[in-house]
Amino acid sequence: MRRAALAALLLKSICLLAEGGGPSTAIANVSSRSTISLDGTWNTIIDPYETGLSSRFYENAKPKTKSDLVEYDFERSPKLHVPGDWNTQRESLLFYEGPVWYQRDFSYHKRSGIRTFLYFGAANYQARVWLNGKKLGEHVGGFTPFDFEATDQLDVGNNSVVVEVDNTRHADGVPAMKTDWWNYGGLTRSVELVEVPKTFLESYSLQLAKSNAGVIEGWVQIGGEAHAGEVSIEIPEIHLKQSAQVNGSGRATFRFSAHVELWSPENPKLYKVVISGEGDSVTDEIGFRSIETRGTEIFLNGKPIFLRGISMHEEAPFRSGRAFSEEDDRTLLNWAKELGCNFVRLAHYPYNEEMLRLADKMGLLIWEEIPAYWDIQWQNQATLENAKSQVREIISRDRNRAAIALWSMSNETPISPERTEFLKALAAYARELDSTRLITSALNHSERSGPDTRVLNDPLGEFLDVLGVNEYMGWYEAKVEDTDHTQWKFAYDKPVIVSEFGADAQYNLHGDAQTRFTEEYQANIFEHQLAMWQRVPQVAGMSPWLLMDFRSPRRPLPGIQDYFNRKGLISDRGQRKQAFYVLQKWYQEKANQGVR
Ligand code: GCB
């Protein structure tokens, strides 16, 4: 009964997003818009019993007379920095899960003809937003952007915004109750006011036509009242300007010939693109490339490519906590480059937008993932709707990033008919929104067939373009030497990315290769795993587990883990372990051999 009520509530909150008709998606490319940053210091109230709702914290009230009873005071409450998780900003909040109320004042000067949206890069996990005491809306899902129109609610001069952010885990959530990462709560990404004209360019898609490198196609979606006018696309560097008519649903579609230099890891060429129409204009940097599979190979721009990758978490180097700044992102991606990567798996949830824009500039292909992690409520319609809105929000934000090669629907989900139906529906939805990327999932159930053979025969494979395979031989199961004679078979003739293997090692802990948690043990696992996968022709890439140590509540071993998963090739303090050099060497050889 309680579960059903919760599910109904969740469905209701997701539906709230759709108020005003059609599912909500945030305005695309806010960095090219006129924005007012609300980052900085916010007043915060920790509210473990969720008193704030009944006590109406959102009114940000002050006693008017000396007898008025107001049992909170934002102004005199402790502060937190936005963007940022609360866990690493105050020691007492490291393990906190529950609601926290955020408030700040800002001054605003309204201009006629301008619509203003309150935009959140992400808030984990659920957010309710009020402006000047009036509720603007709520959002579920901790890693994707959302916005609410604030035009009519904004006052001239001083305004007060209140956000209740709640990182409580829910059995029907995405993810659900268990993850091997820290449940960082808070306004973890930037908050800003975004100004657009009454009718504006809400979103757009522009990329190379599938299997025709000389053609660019796409569409522009108008938000607000479209006037059946024209929208134009300009790529100044190649003196190209194309126009298209906006139809009755506010959409203009394009298809035109263009000779562009193709984007690739070796040549991450981006073009300035200007989109204008209906009195609005946005600028973007877009790369053009194709990605497809043929048999068991992945082709980039019509040529086979081996994806030399690494998995990572969106965790900040040196200070830990959720990464959010360009500096954090650049450090992590530079390490991947140093390792010899042309590919990064952004496990297990969508990262901040800057990470994707940097990958575009640095020439790193990307696997971006939805947090359908381990077991979630596969039979719950509200859970599916939740996963779908996360797919929609991330595709809508990142669809123009050339770096994105793969959308991953899930990680290590237990096989059952309900789970396969759920993920099949999710994959179909992702394809409907973006037919140009490859769809994948990290699978981890293989069967033994004879002493030396493992067969991956997960029915989800039928609905994927690329099979991700996670396995931990030599760490959670089997002996590392077993890798020497293990053969792998796959029920589907599709490319395989070995999306995880690895072992914990504490930086600077030394011993022999049989001693757990030593650098030698981890390096030995990498040597053997690489040799095993080298023998499997179906492998089109890999992203071992993982770039840097990260916080996890599941890893308490004192003196070694101290609540960090230590499978990083680099410690959380930036120190490279031996296995880093093992993989680096292997990638160097791979790159020198050319393809595959
Ligand atoms: C996995 C999970 C990953 C964990 C990792 C581990 O299979 O996909 O999220 O962190 O193993 O270290 O156990």
Side-chain angles (χ1 to χ4, degrees), residues 535-568:
R535 298 194 304 268
V536 184
Q538 213 163 324
V539 172
M542 54 174 64
S543 55
W545 196 248
L546 86 166
L547 186 63
M548 190 187 79
D549 293 352
F550 62 101
R551 271 189 211 274
S552 167
R554 303 167 54 87
R555 311 290 172 178
L557 187 65
I560 305 262
Q561 295 176 317
D562 299 312
Y563 293 105
F564 276 83
N565 181 315
R566 297 282 179 208
K567 294 192 187 70

Side-chain angles (χ1 to χ4, degrees), residues 118-410:
L118 190 51
Y119 180 95
F120 296 83
N124 188 36
Y125 168 77
Q126 179 167 327
R128 298 192 171 104
V129 181
W130 291 264
L131 182 61
N132 299 323
K134 161 116 200 292
K135 187 162 178 188
L136 293 185
E138 46 187 274
H139 179 262
V140 172
F143 303 96
T144 44
F146 54 97
D147 60 29
F148 302 110
E149 180 152 15
T151 317
D152 297 338
Q153 217 40 54
L154 281 161
D155 288 337
V156 178
N158 195 51
N159 289 269
S160 162
V161 56
V162 173
V163 187
E164 182 202 16
V165 185
D166 188 345
N167 69 338
T168 303
R169 286 167 291 132
H170 297 280
D172 58 358
V174 182
M177 300 303 283
K178 287 189 186 139
T179 61
D180 189 22
W181 71 79
W182 210 262
N183 183 19
Y184 291 120
L187 293 174
T188 51
R189 295 183 191 150
S190 288
V191 181
E192 47 206 329
L193 292 164
V194 183
E195 298 181 322
V196 295
K198 279 231 155 10
T199 297
F200 64 103
L201 307 169
E202 189 176 55
S203 57
Y204 50 88
S205 160
L206 210 61
Q207 47 189 301
L208 224 50
K210 253 181 164 177
S211 62
N212 193 343
V215 173
I216 290 177
E217 58 184 16
W219 48 262
V220 178
Q221 180 65 44
I222 306 295
E225 215 178 292
H227 300 114
E230 275 200 342
V231 172
S232 74
I233 295 205
E234 229 181 309
I235 308 180
E237 194 179 326
I238 53 167
H239 310 289
L240 180 140
K241 186 166 183 176
Q242 288 284 331
S243 303
Q245 203 69 32
V246 177
N247 72 15
S249 340
R251 186 167 281 235
T253 48
F254 289 87
R255 190 179 160 86
F256 52 85
S257 311
H259 292 288
V260 284
E261 229 177 276
L262 298 184
W263 183 99
S264 70
E266 298 74 39
N267 179 33
K269 170 72 188 162
L270 300 177
Y271 287 92
K272 178 179 171 192
V273 176
V274 185
I275 304 159
S276 327
E278 305 267 344
D280 191 17
S281 173
V282 278
T283 305
D284 208 339
E285 301 272 320
I286 298 183
F288 300 97
R289 55 102 196 92
S290 69
I291 187 98
E292 64 196 310
T293 66
R294 293 185 207 159
T296 60
E297 291 184 298
I298 297 175
F299 281 69
L300 177 75
N301 298 329
K303 293 190 211 108
I305 184 169
F306 185 87
L307 300 176
R308 304 186 307 271
I310 190 74
S311 291
M312 57 185 265
H313 263 287
E314 193 191 31
E315 189 128 326
F318 306 112
R319 64 175 163 80
S320 81
R322 188 59 74 223
F324 55 75
S325 70
E326 196 192 319
E327 196 190 337
D328 293 338
D329 299 346
R330 200 176 278 285
T331 304
L332 292 166
L333 295 187
N334 273 333
W335 283 341
K337 278 271 181 185
E338 184 189 329
L339 196 56
C341 294
N342 59 11
F343 167 60
V344 175
R345 174 181 178 218
L346 304 181
H348 288 298
Y349 40 75
Y351 289 27
N352 73 84
E353 186 172 356
E354 193 53 40
M355 189 76 89
L356 284 306
R357 289 189 174 271
L358 260 183
D360 254 10
K361 290 184 197 135
M362 292 170 68
L364 285 161
L365 285 156
I366 295 291
W367 157 317
E368 192 159 31
E369 191 159 302
I370 297 303
Y373 182 87
W374 292 350
D375 215 3
I376 66 171
Q377 288 185 358
W378 308 110
Q379 281 172 287
N380 186 332
Q381 188 59 28
T383 304
L384 178 60
E385 291 308 319
N386 180 344
K388 277 183 164 179
S389 38
Q390 299 193 42
V391 165
R392 184 176 62 247
E393 288 164 348
I394 204 54
I395 291 183
S396 141
R397 192 193 71 181
D398 291 341
R399 65 181 336 135
N400 292 307
R401 302 286 70 83
I404 296 188
L406 297 126
W407 299 120
S408 166
M409 299 296 106
S410 62

